[in-house]
Amino acid sequence: MTTRIFKHFPIAAMSALLASCAGEGPRPYEQYGYQRPQAPASRPVMQPPVAQYPGGHSQASPSRGYSSGGLAGTYANYPAVRGFIQDMVRKHGFSESYLNGLFSRANRLDSVIRLESPEPSQGPSKPGSWTRYRNKFLTAQHIENGANFWLENADVLRKASASYGVDQEYIVAIIGVETYFGRNFGKTNIFDSLTTLSFDTHRRSQFFMSELESFLLMAREEDFDPREPEGSWAGAMGYGQFMPSSFRRLAIDFNHDGKRNLWHPHDAIGSVAHYFSKSGWHYNGQVARPSNGERNADGVIELSAYEGNEYWRIFPNFKVIKRYNNSNKYAMAVHQLAQAIKQRVASSGALMRASSAR
């Protein structure tokens, strides 16, 4: 490829999703036992403008010019990198000269090291952490952009909901919290980031080394240059910020163009729905409701707000959201954003007008 891709928006990258999930493939919707949403009528879908998928038109050889008889550059004297290369050759049949050449071009990212190894906080935590977190996502602009995203991708959202039994508003909200509906994919080189996290940090180095392995396999399977993709500092990619292992297991080609492209909203919508489906989402099931101060009750969580702590009774769907990011504040933000966007869309009648105009 002759041009850099994945550089879309100037907004700084948000923290990545780090939860991994398992699964072999989509399960039939009927297995869930919930009311099936109505599938949309078949009609042509207008594709919004998107970036070229990595390697989508590339005819370059698999080595892509990465070939070296030995390891050079920043990681030349890292025994762990040499061991990782040998493992990739032995386990997955990679060319040693290719990986030597690729890792010889890797850059250590000091900014990533700082983000992964922050200074410990001093003193007691300030009250209101949930209020501050919520205020990042439950803004009028965020809700309006979410409603617009829903309208622009209405047919695809209906199809994904019908195919996988996942409520449309939660697919939209995940994409809103993760990347502000595609405005914030992140600008960090994924290969450099995962290499740095694997070999220059300690807290989760084994996790990131596994993700680096998945990323190199993903690049080979999807036929793109591993030095091209950009995303979050922790290695997450696309509208839904999938980590490489989640991409390999759960990303799908939802628009049937022959590529699993999470930088395209249609594939991203289908892939988020598939992710939730595989994690056990119950269509039209409860997520959370306010609880009257049952602090120690099972299934009740406490969130620190400025006006006094909030107590919420949570249900299995809340735990499914936490499979995406294991944080109560994250899951509650997704839930409340989903409901706010759904209410905005319903009150505007935009979807009904768009459907009748076809």
Side-chain angles (χ1 to χ4, degrees):
M1 287 180 288
T2 59
T3 57
R4 293 288 293 175
I5 55 178
F6 305 99
K7 295 183 178 179
H8 305 279
F9 304 98
I11 304 173
M14 296 166 62
S15 296
L17 66 96
L18 294 178
S20 60
C21 50
E24 300 302 324
R27 293 159 60 184
Y29 177 76
E30 289 76 7
Q31 292 184 6
Y32 292 106
Y34 289 83
Q35 179 184 358
R36 184 186 182 104
Q38 184 176 358
S42 177
R43 59 171 64 93
V45 176
M46 294 300 294
Q47 299 279 3
V50 292
Q52 177 184 322
Y53 182 60
H57 302 288
S58 173
Q59 300 298 322
S61 67
S63 66
R64 300 183 189 276
Y66 301 121
S67 182
S68 175
L71 187 61
T74 300
Y75 291 96
N77 297 317
Y78 277 54
V81 175
R82 294 179 185 277
F84 178 83
I85 290 173
Q86 291 300 318
D87 283 345
M88 295 298 288
V89 171
R90 176 178 53 82
K91 290 169 58 179
H92 303 296
F94 277 86
S95 162
E96 183 173 356
S97 64
Y98 164 72
L99 292 179
N100 281 337
L102 180 61
F103 278 95
S104 292
R105 300 192 192 184
N107 299 302
R108 182 192 301 113
L109 303 180
D110 291 338
S111 60
V112 167
I113 296 173
R114 289 192 296 271
L115 287 165
E116 173 61 9
S117 308
E119 293 293 329
S121 59
Q122 301 296 325
S125 60
K126 297 179 181 179
S129 61
W130 159 237
T131 303
R132 291 189 294 274
Y133 190 91
R134 183 184 186 277
N135 289 345
K136 296 177 183 178
F137 303 105
L138 272 292
T139 67
Q141 190 62 57
H142 218 117
I143 295 166
E144 183 68 23
N145 288 335
N148 290 337
F149 181 86
W150 192 333
L151 179 60
E152 291 163 3
N153 298 281
D155 287 344
V156 180
L157 282 160
R158 280 194 294 268
K159 179 183 175 184
S161 179
S163 297
Y164 294 110
V166 178
D167 303 80
Q168 297 177 57
E169 63 268 26
Y170 288 94
I171 302 171
V172 174
I174 281 287
I175 292 173
V177 170
E178 289 294 339
T179 61
Y180 198 34
F181 310 105
R183 290 166 171 79
N184 179 18
F185 290 141
K187 298 192 296 182
T188 305
N189 182 281
I190 297 294
F191 176 71
D192 287 344
S193 175
L194 289 176
T195 300
T196 299
L197 290 163
S198 295
F199 304 112
D200 291 295
T201 68
H202 302 288
R203 186 166 64 98
R204 295 181 293 176
S205 60
Q206 291 300 313
F207 165 77
F208 286 115
M209 200 176 301
S210 175
E211 292 298 332
L212 178 59
E213 177 181 3
S214 291
F215 178 71
L216 292 175
L217 290 167
M218 169 186 160
R220 184 170 70 179
E221 292 159 358
E222 303 295 325
D223 188 28
F224 65 82
D225 185 336
R227 289 206 53 78
E228 284 295 326
E230 294 179 343
S232 81
W233 68 266
M237 300 167 286
Y239 274 86
Q241 293 289 277
F242 276 34
M243 293 297 286
S245 60
S246 295
F247 181 104
R248 293 188 69 224
R249 288 194 298 269
L250 297 170
I252 60 173
D253 174 18
F254 201 58
N255 63 0
H256 306 295
D257 67 352
K259 298 180 287 290
R260 295 188 295 172
N261 182 358
L262 296 189
W263 291 266
H264 193 295
H266 295 179
D267 281 0
I269 286 167
S271 296
V272 170
H274 184 209
Y275 195 122
F276 270 34
S277 168
K278 292 301 298 181
S279 297
W281 185 266
H282 292 170
Y283 178 74
N284 205 26
Q286 288 196 72
V287 176
R289 62 172 173 79
S291 176
N292 296 322
E294 303 171 73
R295 180 180 308 206
N296 298 316
D298 291 339
V300 173
I301 62 170
E302 179 180 4
L303 298 172
S304 175
Y306 288 147
E307 300 80 10
N309 289 351
E310 297 178 6
Y311 299 93
W312 292 81
R313 179 167 294 282
I314 61 173
F315 298 91
N317 279 351
F318 188 90
K319 297 177 182 179
V320 170
I321 300 174
K322 289 183 66 176
R323 291 287 300 274
Y324 214 97
N325 183 313
N326 190 28
S327 160
N328 286 334
K329 293 195 292 287
Y330 175 92
M332 187 60 70
V334 169
H335 169 58
Q336 293 191 5
L337 181 61
Q339 294 304 309
I341 293 171
K342 182 180 180 180
Q343 183 177 2
R344 173 66 59 84
V345 169
S347 64
S348 70
L351 287 177
M352 184 178 298
R353 291 196 298 271
S355 296
S356 57
R358 292 188 176 97

